[in-house]
Amino acid sequence: GENVEQHPSTLSVQEGDSAVIKCTYSDSASNYFPWYKQELGKGPQLIIDIRSNVGEKKDQRIAVTLNKTAKHFSLHITETQPEDSAVYFCAASFRNTGKLIFGQGTTLQVKP
Amino acid sequence: DAGVIQSPRHEVTEMGQEVTLRCKPISGHDYLFWYRQTMMRGLELLIYFNNNVPIDDSGMPEDRFSAKMPNASFSTLKIQPSEPRDSAVYFCASATTFYNEQFFGPGTRLTVL
C-alpha cells in the first residue's frame, strides 16, 4: 500500500545551523511532493513543493531535493531561526489522484 | 478571503452522541478534503470531494462516519455514534486543482468522553 516514511521524528539545532529532513515513498507513480509546516494549534501550511520533472527547488532559506530513482526527497532549511520551530510534514501524491499521503512529521526545535 | 473556516473549534461530547463538524472552503476551490490527526496515526485523509461529489472515501474508518457536501461552500463530517477513540483533531482543507496547495482550516479538536 501507499506509504511515506519521514526521518527524523525530532530534530534540535542551534540558531543559524542547517536542518535536513528526509522522506521516502513507496508509490513509483507519485509525482507531486509538498512540504507543510504546522505551528501549535494551527492547521498545516504549505512551505514548498516539488514536482517529479524537477530535481531541486529553492525558496530563500528553504530547498527541496527529489531523487525519483531512489524514491526519496528532502527538505533543507539553512540559517535556521527560532520561528522555524514547528512540526514539518512531507507528503507524496498517490498515483493519479488528488490524494496526498503524509509522513509522520518532524518536530524541529531551533535553540536561540 | 478568510481562508478555510471550520466550526466548532472545540467539541467535547459523551460516548454515543452524534457529532457534526462543519467546513466552509475557500471560494472557487473545487476540491475539499477531510483529515484526522492523532499522535498515533498522524495526518490521515478521510474523504475528499471534487465539485461537491465524493471521490475517495476509503479513509473513512467505519460506517459511523459520514460526510456530505450539499453545495460548493459547505461540507459536514458526522460521527454517529461517537466513541472515545474518535478523539482527534479534524481538519478540512480545500484546493483549486490536483497537485496544488491544499489550504487547511484551523481544525476542530474533538474529545469524546
Side-chain angles (χ1 to χ4, degrees), chain A residues 42-55:
Chain A
K42 297 184 178 180
Q45 184 175 11
L46 182 77
I47 55 172
I48 195 168
D49 57 11
I50 192 168
R51 300 173 197 272
S52 59
N53 57 345
V54 175

Side-chain angles (χ1 to χ4, degrees), chain A residues 29 31-32 36 38 41-46 49 51 89 93-104, chain B residues 9 31 33 35 37 39-43 45 48 56 58-59 91 98-107:
Chain A
N31 54 15
Y32 175 62
Y36 283 82
Q38 185 176 24
K42 297 184 178 180
Q45 184 175 11
L46 182 77
D49 57 11
R51 300 173 197 272
F89 292 94
S93 62
F94 176 58
R95 298 180 184 169
N96 192 28
T97 73
K99 186 174 179 177
L100 291 177
I101 308 300
F102 282 83
Q104 285 294 94
Chain B
R9 292 295 311 275
Y31 286 83
F33 307 82
Y35 290 92
Q37 186 174 40
M39 288 296 292
M40 289 296 296
R41 298 177 67 88
L43 198 57
L45 177 67
Y48 78 93
D56 184 343
S58 59
F91 288 103
F98 265 24
Y99 309 153
N100 271 352
E101 179 175 1
Q102 292 186 19
F103 291 83
F104 282 75

Side-chain angles (χ1 to χ4, degrees), chain A residues 6-48:
Chain A
Q6 183 172 346
H7 299 281
S9 57
T10 60
L11 179 59
S12 181
V13 300
Q14 210 64 37
E15 182 178 359
D17 288 349
S18 295
V20 180
I21 302 170
K22 299 181 179 182
C23 290
T24 59
Y25 60 97
S26 58
D27 182 9
S28 57
S30 295
N31 54 15
Y32 175 62
F33 307 90
W35 285 88
Y36 283 82
K37 175 184 180 182
Q38 185 176 24
E39 297 177 338
L40 199 61
K42 297 184 178 180
Q45 184 175 11
L46 182 77
I47 55 172
I48 195 168

Side-chain angles (χ1 to χ4, degrees), chain B residues 70-83:
Chain B
N71 57 62
S73 59
F74 184 65
S75 178
T76 60
L77 178 68
K78 186 175 292 186
I79 308 172
Q80 166 63 16
S82 58
E83 297 182 2

Side-chain angles (χ1 to χ4, degrees), chain B residues 8 28 37 40 52 57-58 60 65-67 69 73 77 79 86-88 90 96 102 104-105 113:
Chain B
Q37 186 174 40
M40 289 296 296
N52 314 337
D57 65 354
S58 59
M60 296 286 261
F65 286 68
S66 63
M69 191 164 186
S73 59
L77 178 68
I79 308 172
D86 301 331
S87 298
Y90 291 82
T96 53
Q102 292 186 19
F104 282 75
L113 303 173

